[in-house]
Amino acid sequence: EPWEDPSTSPIDFSTCLEKFDEAMLASTYWLCIFAVNEHFSICGDCWDCREGKEWSPRMFKADPCIGGCKKAKFNPCKCGSQKHAAGDAAYEIDKFDQVVERMEALVVSLDPELATLTRVWVLAEVAIALRGKPVRFRIAEGLEPRKASALRQGQSIVTPVQECEASSADDRKRIIDQIEQDGGCKAFDAYVGSMVGLGLGSCVFLGRAASQEALKALRGVGDVEISLVWCPDADLAQLGFGEAHLGKLAGIRSLSVQMPGCDRIQNLQLLFQDVAKLSTLEGCAFNLKE
Ligand SMILES: [Zn+2]
Ligand SMILES: [Zn+2]
């Protein structure tokens, strides 16, 4: 959806393509928001009434629902397409792990309030990608000041996965069941919370991760980015650096630290001390400019 007033957009779309080099433009980008055909997945569906049954096009087209509940449809649509079922080869919603295998990296585009991190799908996809690919968190419109201050104070910024939302209760249940099988929701929260926190510049959450399952997951992370731009004048002691928490990333090979505009950061040596102890690290980059 276009911005109502393009002049208020934080991104200048008319010139942004010119900023990228040819290699970047020649790369393939898989955009989650466009790449799943929702007409074969969720449109016109009612998660209360259909319960996996075959529906006629008329049932999918109807809004409000005529399957029993009479409620307004969550994603009303006139197409009436048949939906593929979970587990079906053509079902597009449960294939994210296969997509990730083909990707070089995952970029998670966050909103200023971090409401993105209250969606069960988003956290699940982040956790899957973290197992083998670089995950980068970006906030094009900047971090909302209250969230930035929560981050600095070490208050949790990622919603516990069991309190997260999903449009479909079935999806939510399937994801949570899988997480329970893979090590449990508590370990999942510690793992994802640590990595999101680190991505946004804080080591505090990583410091708190203590369960065997969480530590095991953290040992599987190979490529890490720490962006200090959301706390550009913070004291790194307050953000949990200098206590060797990074050592929990026992399989880390590559680290990049983003710090443009961070010339007022205090106690930067704490970060260097932590990095110097990472025996598996093969490469480390500090980016001082955009
Ligand atoms: Zn449709
Ligand atoms: Zn219904």
Side-chain angles (χ1 to χ4, degrees):
E1 208 171 305
W3 289 75
E4 279 177 22
D5 175 3
S7 66
T8 63
S9 164
I11 303 157
D12 182 355
F13 292 105
S14 61
T15 58
C16 68
L17 283 181
E18 292 161 18
K19 290 185 196 157
F20 302 134
D21 61 33
E22 258 176 57
M24 202 180 272
L25 292 173
S27 299
T28 303
Y29 299 88
W30 185 86
L31 296 174
C32 174
I33 51 165
F34 303 130
V36 170
N37 188 339
E38 310 231 315
H39 298 289
F40 296 104
S41 317
I42 58 169
C43 84
D45 208 348
C46 176
W47 294 292
D48 291 330
C49 300
R50 189 164 73 90
E51 295 177 305
K53 292 192 293 278
E54 295 265 320
W55 260 12
S56 66
R58 192 175 73 96
M59 300 284 279
F60 284 113
K61 283 182 197 170
D63 183 38
C65 176
I66 54 169
C69 74
K70 297 183 183 153
K71 286 187 214 151
K73 291 275 180 71
F74 201 83
N75 299 295
C77 180
K78 295 259 176 264
C79 80
S81 306
Q82 286 300 321
K83 307 295 174 267
H84 301 296
D88 190 306
Y91 186 65
E92 297 184 14
I93 284 185
D94 60 352
K95 306 289 187 291
F96 186 72
D97 46 351
Q98 292 170 45
V99 174
V100 162
E101 274 175 33
R102 291 161 178 255
M103 300 198 309
E104 285 170 34
L106 176 74
V107 178
V108 187
S109 177
L110 299 171
D111 61 297
E113 308 267 352
L114 305 182
T116 332
L117 300 174
T118 66
R119 308 295 298 177
V120 81
W121 270 117
V122 175
L123 299 192
E125 291 181 0
V126 167
I128 291 169
L130 276 170
R131 285 187 216 142
K133 307 286 171 169
V135 177
R136 304 290 184 251
F137 299 95
R138 293 290 179 268
I139 318 174
E141 294 175 67
L143 187 58
E144 199 265 334
R146 268 176 304 138
K147 283 288 170 187
S149 116
L151 177 69
R152 277 178 178 231
Q153 288 163 24
Q155 293 163 7
S156 178
I157 48 168
V158 184
T159 307
V161 69
Q162 279 181 307
E163 293 167 30
C164 280
E165 297 154 25
S167 315
S168 153
D170 286 350
D171 282 355
R172 193 175 173 283
K173 184 178 181 313
R174 197 177 63 243
I175 294 169
I176 302 272
D177 287 351
Q178 188 64 51
I179 292 170
E180 288 292 3
Q181 270 180 36
D182 290 347
C185 289
K186 272 214 153 117
F188 178 93
D189 290 339
Y191 174 49
V192 175
S194 293
M195 296 312 299
V196 173
L198 208 53
L200 302 184
S202 173
C203 222
V204 168
F205 310 98
L206 182 64
R208 289 182 197 147
S211 74
Q212 289 304 319
E213 290 293 343
L215 294 175
K216 188 177 142 203
L218 289 165
R219 283 197 294 273
V221 178
D223 185 300
V224 177
E225 179 184 78
I226 299 174
S227 178
L228 295 172
V229 301
W230 308 115
C231 307
D233 55 358
D235 182 337
L236 289 193
Q238 213 190 349
L239 293 176
F241 291 92
E243 298 172 53
H245 295 322
L246 289 180
K248 291 180 182 175
L249 303 168
I252 187 171
R253 293 182 304 278
S254 167
L255 173 68
S256 66
V257 182
Q258 301 297 333
M259 44 187 307
C262 295
D263 47 330
R264 283 168 300 147
I265 222 117
Q266 297 161 60
N267 279 318
L268 188 59
Q269 79 280 2
L270 298 178
L271 174 59
F272 297 138
Q273 284 167 22
D274 287 349
V275 171
K277 290 178 190 150
L278 300 173
S279 59
T280 56
L281 196 63
E282 293 164 9
C284 180
F286 286 81
N287 295 328
L288 306 178
K289 290 195 172 147
E290 290 274 3

